[in-house]
């Protein structure tokens, strides 16, 4: 016997729970079910990211990323303050170390101003050291709008608030979706334990977003590719050498920001991540491998086109993934005084990135609809920062005529 809900949300990460919370606020007399396949919420991207509150400085003005990041950041900080979630707006330094990087730095600065970040400022080498005494750059941007937060705590709080709104709302863990059926005007979500039916289903499945869309009969010319990011922890005397967030000037052709140094919400310092193709979508070690995920990825023409276009960068990232010495070399670019004994291997995360069949990494958030379902296909960084704004976008699209 099917259990019926007004809405079902698949995915217990930060966007799934933010969407559940915002939808419950709007439809407080309707029943909403959240399904999560793991034993804890925020088990994948949300719980393994760098914990940064992003400012919105990098993103193309007018894009979904730019609009949702800035709106979402403000909402996230308000939510964190209201619910006493661990966070700090410590600011960020984006530093140029070579003259060739200065034009990109200036472009990022203009981009930030266009996105409404009025208090950012260009700093000289000497001025940069007032914020980060151990950085030896030629120029930098200081971004006061960046910070750090405990995203797992955000998700747990969103879940608690969502459940308070309506006693019929529910969050079920260890409940994996194995099939999606359309019956008349209903979506039937099949799990090993039970079938659930709803008039409207929302899928926020992160690394499995393309799998869910395919199960729902959506024709996809893109695929979700996992990029693993490895982190080191800064320890011993190294902790004193980082005050806030220190970033390099990124390669603007790729949606990755480069290895950076991050002061975490608990005062510890994290270094990373790199970005390497993951042979397992949910693989968190350097040797994780899934034959199914690998075959699926390597039979997609877009991946080969990406590899051919960026093979030198990819090879460099792989070498660094297995070499502490190479990783330290990247970090010493940011803080030359860091030493080998001041870093130790930390966690890894896997980022879900949509790739089209021409080999292009999809740069913006991507949402697809059917008459009675909505799929969040691509939601890479800054999706955690932007979660409450993305949830507003999703709810608005559900009610669009």
């Amino acid at each position: 016997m099917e259990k019926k809900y007004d809405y079902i949300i698949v995915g217990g990460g930060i966007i799934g729970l933010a969407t559940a919370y915002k939808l419950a606020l709007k439809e407080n007399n309707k029943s909403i079910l959240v399904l999560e396949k793991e034993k804890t919420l925020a088990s994948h991207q949300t719980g393994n990211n760098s914990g940064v509150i992003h400012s919105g400085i990098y993103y193309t003005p007018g894009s979904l990323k730019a609009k949702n990041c800035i709106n979402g950041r403000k909402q996230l900080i308000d939510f964190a303050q209201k619910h006493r979630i661990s966070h700090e707006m410590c600011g960020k330094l984006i530093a140029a170390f070579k003259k060739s990087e200065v034009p990109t730095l200036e472009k990022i600065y203009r981009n930030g101003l266009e996105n409404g970040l009025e208090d950012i400022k260009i700093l000289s080498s000497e001025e940069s050291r007032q914020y980060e005494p151990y950085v030896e750059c030629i120029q930098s941007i200081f971004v006061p709008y960046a910070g750090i937060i405990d995203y797992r705590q955000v998700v747990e709080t969103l879940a608690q608030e969502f459940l308070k709104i309506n006693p019929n709302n529910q969050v079920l863990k260890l409940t994996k979706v194995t099939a999606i059926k359309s019956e008349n005007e209903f979506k039937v979500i099949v799990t090993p334990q039970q079938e659930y039916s709803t008039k409207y289903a929302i899928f926020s499945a992160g690394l499995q977003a393309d799998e869910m869309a395919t199960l729902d009969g959506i024709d996809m010319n893109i695929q979700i590719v996992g990029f693993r990011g490895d982190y080191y922890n800064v320890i011993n005397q190294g902790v004193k050498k980082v005050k806030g967030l220190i970033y390099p000037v990124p390669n603007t052709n790729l949606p990755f920001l480069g290895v950076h140094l991050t002061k975490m919400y608990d005062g510890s310092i994290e270094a990373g991540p790199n970005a390497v193709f993951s042979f397992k979508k949910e693989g968190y070690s350097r040797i994780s491998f899934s034959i199914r995920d690998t075959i699926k990825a390597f039979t997609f023409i877009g991946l080969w086109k990406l590899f051919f276009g960026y093979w030198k960068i990819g090879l460099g990232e792989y070498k660094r993934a297995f070499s502490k010495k190479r990783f330290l070399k990247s970090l010493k670019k940011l803080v030359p005084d860091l030493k080998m004994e001041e870093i130790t291997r930390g966690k890894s995360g896997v980022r879900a990135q949509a790739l089209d069949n021409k080999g292009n990494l999809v740069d913006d958030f991507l949402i697809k609809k059917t008459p009675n379902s909505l799929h969040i296909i691509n939601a890479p960084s800054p999706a955690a920062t932007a979660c409450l704004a993305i949830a507003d976008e999703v709810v608005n699209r559900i009610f669009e005529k």
Side-chain angles (χ1 to χ4, degrees):
M1 182 72 181
E2 295 168 1
K3 287 190 177 179
K4 286 187 166 59
Y5 288 84
D6 294 301
Y7 297 96
I8 294 176
I9 296 170
V10 176
I14 199 163
I15 295 178
L17 268 300
T19 301
Y21 171 66
K22 286 296 186 102
L23 186 58
L25 288 175
K26 184 177 176 68
E27 295 273 84
N28 59 17
N29 60 338
K30 299 289 179 70
S31 60
I32 304 171
L33 171 67
V34 176
L35 298 176
E36 167 55 47
K37 69 183 175 68
E38 306 296 353
K39 64 181 178 182
T40 58
L41 300 174
S43 288
H44 293 293
Q45 290 187 99
T46 305
N48 294 293
N49 66 26
S50 59
V52 171
I53 299 173
H54 287 286
S55 62
I57 192 169
Y58 301 104
Y59 313 120
T60 305
S63 66
L64 282 176
K65 273 190 178 183
K67 289 187 288 189
N68 284 296
C69 183
I70 290 159
N71 173 3
R73 168 171 49 79
K74 293 171 183 174
Q75 288 197 55
L76 180 66
I77 293 165
D78 288 345
F79 187 82
Q81 288 172 342
K82 181 178 178 182
H83 297 285
R84 298 183 179 180
I85 294 168
S86 303
H87 73 291
E88 181 189 343
M89 300 309 290
C90 55
K92 170 165 81 172
L93 212 63
I94 305 170
F97 300 91
K98 298 184 287 190
K99 283 186 177 178
S100 59
E101 294 173 338
V102 171
T104 303
L105 189 77
E106 291 172 345
K107 182 182 175 185
I108 291 168
Y109 176 73
R110 292 191 298 271
N111 207 71
L113 291 178
E114 202 170 333
N115 282 338
L117 307 182
E118 296 172 0
D119 295 329
I120 58 175
K121 48 191 175 185
I122 293 264
L123 304 177
S124 67
S125 177
E126 190 175 334
E127 289 168 333
S128 301
R129 281 196 291 273
Q130 291 173 20
Y131 289 95
E132 294 289 350
Y134 289 86
V135 168
E136 295 180 13
C137 62
I138 56 174
Q139 206 172 60
S140 73
I141 304 169
F142 181 69
V143 187
Y145 304 93
I148 44 171
I149 195 165
D150 183 351
Y151 280 120
R152 283 184 184 269
Q153 196 182 350
V154 173
V155 171
E156 291 297 337
T157 307
L158 284 167
Q160 290 163 16
E161 294 303 307
F162 158 69
L163 292 170
K164 283 179 191 174
I165 293 168
N166 184 334
N168 295 317
N169 291 346
Q170 204 173 0
V171 175
L172 293 181
K173 301 166 192 172
L174 291 172
T175 310
K176 183 178 180 179
V177 174
T178 55
I180 302 165
K181 299 186 289 190
S182 294
E183 293 181 358
N184 301 319
E185 294 180 359
F186 287 85
K187 285 285 180 195
V188 178
I189 310 299
V190 181
T191 76
Q193 300 94 326
Q194 176 80 47
E195 291 190 2
Y196 304 92
S197 71
T198 182
K199 286 190 174 179
Y200 207 96
I202 300 139
F203 296 86
S204 177
L207 287 154
Q208 309 301 334
D210 54 347
E211 304 272 358
M212 291 297 108
T214 300
L215 285 179
D216 198 20
I218 294 176
D219 190 23
M220 299 279 286
N221 64 348
I222 64 170
Q223 190 165 302
I224 298 297
V225 174
F227 285 92
R228 196 187 70 251
D230 305 310
Y231 293 86
Y232 278 77
N233 297 319
V234 179
I235 57 172
N236 302 331
Q237 294 303 306
V239 175
K240 298 176 183 176
K241 298 171 184 177
V242 181
K243 302 295 182 193
L245 310 176
I246 308 171
Y247 280 65
V249 174
N251 178 345
T252 53
N253 294 320
L254 293 168
F256 309 116
L257 298 178
V259 167
H260 46 270
L261 288 156
T262 306
K263 175 188 174 184
M264 304 298 284
Y265 63 89
D266 60 1
S268 62
I269 306 294
E270 208 168 61
N274 56 353
V276 297
F277 170 75
S278 179
F279 289 89
K280 184 179 181 181
K281 273 188 175 179
E282 295 171 359
Y284 297 102
S285 86
R286 291 162 178 79
I287 56 170
S288 293
F289 182 80
S290 158
I291 188 71
R292 181 183 180 278
D293 290 351
T294 301
I295 289 171
K296 187 180 180 209
F298 277 79
T299 52
F300 182 57
I301 186 65
L303 185 67
W304 290 103
K305 290 180 178 178
L306 177 73
F307 283 169
F308 285 130
Y310 293 101
W311 69 269
K312 279 187 180 177
I313 293 171
L315 184 60
E317 290 285 326
Y318 258 102
K319 286 179 179 177
R320 184 168 60 183
F322 289 92
S323 169
K324 184 178 179 182
K325 186 177 177 181
R326 284 176 180 269
F327 214 104
L328 180 64
K329 186 179 178 183
S330 298
L331 297 175
K332 283 175 81 72
K333 177 182 171 184
L334 303 174
V335 175
D337 198 42
L338 268 180
K339 297 176 172 59
M340 186 70 80
E341 64 270 21
E342 292 171 349
I343 64 168
T344 182
R345 282 198 191 277
K347 69 184 185 191
S348 293
V350 181
R351 168 182 177 152
Q353 174 64 54
L355 177 70
D356 70 19
N357 53 15
K358 295 178 181 175
N360 300 311
L361 295 163
V362 178
D363 190 42
D364 210 354
F365 299 145
L366 180 63
I367 297 170
K368 288 183 179 283
K369 277 181 74 174
T370 78
N372 55 352
S373 66
L374 180 145
H375 291 257
I376 301 158
I377 304 290
N378 196 50
S381 180
T385 301
C387 64
L388 291 163
I390 294 171
D392 289 334
E393 178 87 22
V394 168
V395 172
N396 289 339
R397 291 199 188 194
I398 290 169
F399 291 99
E400 276 177 353
K401 295 295 183 189

